[in-house]
Amino acid sequence: MQIIDGKALSAKYREKLKSEIQSLKSRGVTPGLAVILVGDDPGSQVYVRNKIKACEELGITGFECRYPADTDEKTVIAKIEELNANPDCDGILVQLPLPRHLDERKILSYIDVKKDVDGFSAYQTGLMCLGTPDLLPCTPHGVIELIKSTGVEIAGKNAVVIGRSNIVGKPMFHLLLQNNATVTVCHSKTRDLGSITSKADILVVAIGKAKFVKKEMVKEGAIVIDVGMDRDENGKLCGDVDFEDVKEKCSFITPVPGGVGPMTITMLMSNTVAAANRRPK
Ligand code: NAP
């Protein structure tokens, strides 16, 4: 079994991004990413901090926009419109989940699709589904890069995704399909889940349940990608896969932390640089 080191792969990508940012700067362009955070959810605070930190390390301007939990819709939308018009801001991200009184879909729909570096808009999702992607959703894109880093060909493989959320499971299906895997998507209504997952050459798990996947559910020699970010019974960060139980059965596996997480942020940086590249020369 080999561990797929998301941190190391991420560092490699970030080196490449640094040189792209240098060449953008030499023509007077500094990429800019705005992160909007409403409320004080502790998980979201950590994610936002990590994103701004990554910006700083790479030389991207980070616009951190924080609002109290009771902020109204109008205020958030006005900020998005201001950022849409700001030529120094190439990417806009609204940290999810938003407080319950805010309509997530409505608010996200105000982001200029060319600045939608999370890739969640109907426009970016549509392009991805058509196989003509522009800004890919960061987590599924990172997962594809992690799988490719193993050197194992995706084409022709039997891939199974557990989870069908709009931000992970569904786009994961499209990206695996575009890489010519034969893909099955499972969810909470799937019957006899283990009989499906145990036929997967590539298993991607994104359900949000700590250590849910056990070795009986995994095919011998499979590539296992764990998207989950959960807490175990002791409050320690862990994934949706029971790593210790599964590790000896698979050929490659991502750890949590240090697998999908760092690649997600790197793909966000990569989208921001791609958006900045569109500025007029
Ligand atoms: P989500 O919106 O809650 O979706 C969970 C999906 O899992 C749903 O489709 C649900 O099915 C399915 N599911 C739940 N229990 C199941 C079961 N027992 N058997 C089969 N399917 C089941 O979650 P998400 O946003 O996709 O996130 C999933 C996990 O990934 C979370 O731990 C999250 O924190 C993590 N995450 C990590 C990153 C990263 O960068 N590392 C990024 C995003 C998310 P139904 O549709 O039928 O309800």
Side-chain angles (χ1 to χ4, degrees):
M1 180 275 303
Q2 287 182 52
I3 290 178
I4 310 175
D5 186 342
K7 261 186 168 164
L9 186 64
S10 191
K12 231 166 84 184
Y13 272 86
R14 289 187 194 193
E15 277 314 306
K16 226 176 86 201
L17 281 177
K18 266 187 199 162
S19 68
E20 279 181 53
I21 291 165
Q22 273 316 316
S23 70
L24 275 168
K25 284 189 174 174
S26 67
R27 66 171 169 96
V29 174
T30 300
L33 171 68
V35 183
I36 299 175
L37 174 62
V38 186
D40 45 19
D41 175 69
S44 295
Q45 306 244 23
V46 174
Y47 296 144
V48 168
R49 206 177 313 129
N50 288 342
K51 287 165 189 173
I52 297 293
K53 205 172 123 213
C55 285
E56 283 164 2
E57 278 166 17
L58 290 175
I60 292 173
T61 306
F63 302 87
E64 203 175 333
C65 317
R66 287 175 179 264
Y67 293 95
D70 59 357
T71 303
D72 63 11
E73 194 173 277
K74 255 172 61 189
T75 307
V76 183
I77 290 172
K79 186 69 197 179
I80 293 174
E81 286 178 328
E82 179 200 314
L83 292 163
N84 282 342
N86 181 349
D88 295 327
C89 169
D90 301 287
I92 304 170
L93 176 158
V94 176
Q95 186 64 45
L96 301 178
L98 285 169
R100 290 165 81 93
H101 69 282
L102 296 174
D103 179 344
E104 211 162 274
R105 273 282 125 206
K106 182 173 174 194
I107 287 178
L108 292 181
S109 75
Y110 279 85
I111 298 174
D112 178 345
V113 293
K114 294 281 192 289
K115 297 190 179 191
D116 170 28
V117 283
D118 250 343
F120 292 164
S121 61
Y123 176 80
Q124 293 296 349
T125 303
L127 289 178
M128 177 196 62
C129 293
L130 292 170
T132 53
D134 177 34
L135 301 171
L136 284 174
C138 304
T139 300
H141 186 195
V143 169
I144 291 290
E145 298 305 318
L146 287 161
I147 299 170
K148 286 184 174 166
S149 76
T150 64
V152 175
E153 175 96 56
I154 299 176
K157 292 292 186 308
N158 204 5
V160 173
V161 180
I162 321 183
R164 57 172 165 181
S165 69
N166 288 332
I167 60 170
V168 190
K170 282 183 204 159
M172 201 63 251
F173 161 76
H174 284 284
L175 296 188
L176 285 162
L177 185 66
Q178 271 150 32
N179 280 277
N180 296 314
T182 302
V183 195
T184 307
V185 180
C186 301
H187 45 79
S188 67
K189 307 288 184 295
T190 298
R191 290 191 192 150
D192 201 2
L193 182 67
S195 75
I196 301 169
T197 58
S198 58
K199 292 188 186 75
D201 303 308
I202 299 168
L203 179 62
V204 181
V205 192
I207 57 177
K209 294 205 160 121
K211 301 184 184 178
F212 180 86
V213 171
K214 307 286 182 195
K215 63 172 180 266
E216 298 74 37
M217 299 171 73
V218 175
K219 182 179 172 179
E220 192 79 49
I223 297 175
V224 178
I225 308 288
D226 189 353
V227 180
M229 293 233 266
D230 314 307
R231 297 275 162 191
D232 69 9
E233 55 285 2
N234 304 313
K236 207 172 142 227
L237 185 64
C238 71
D240 290 344
V241 176
D242 189 335
F243 184 88
E244 288 305 320
D245 190 52
V246 165
K247 67 178 186 195
E248 292 315 331
K249 205 167 176 193
C250 45
S251 56
F252 293 93
I253 186 167
T254 57
V256 178
V260 174
M263 281 303 281
T264 295
I265 296 186
T266 300
M267 294 300 113
L268 174 68
M269 299 298 122
S270 168
N271 277 348
T272 305
V273 172
N277 253 311
R278 285 203 270 254
R279 284 203 215 165
K281 299 226 161 129

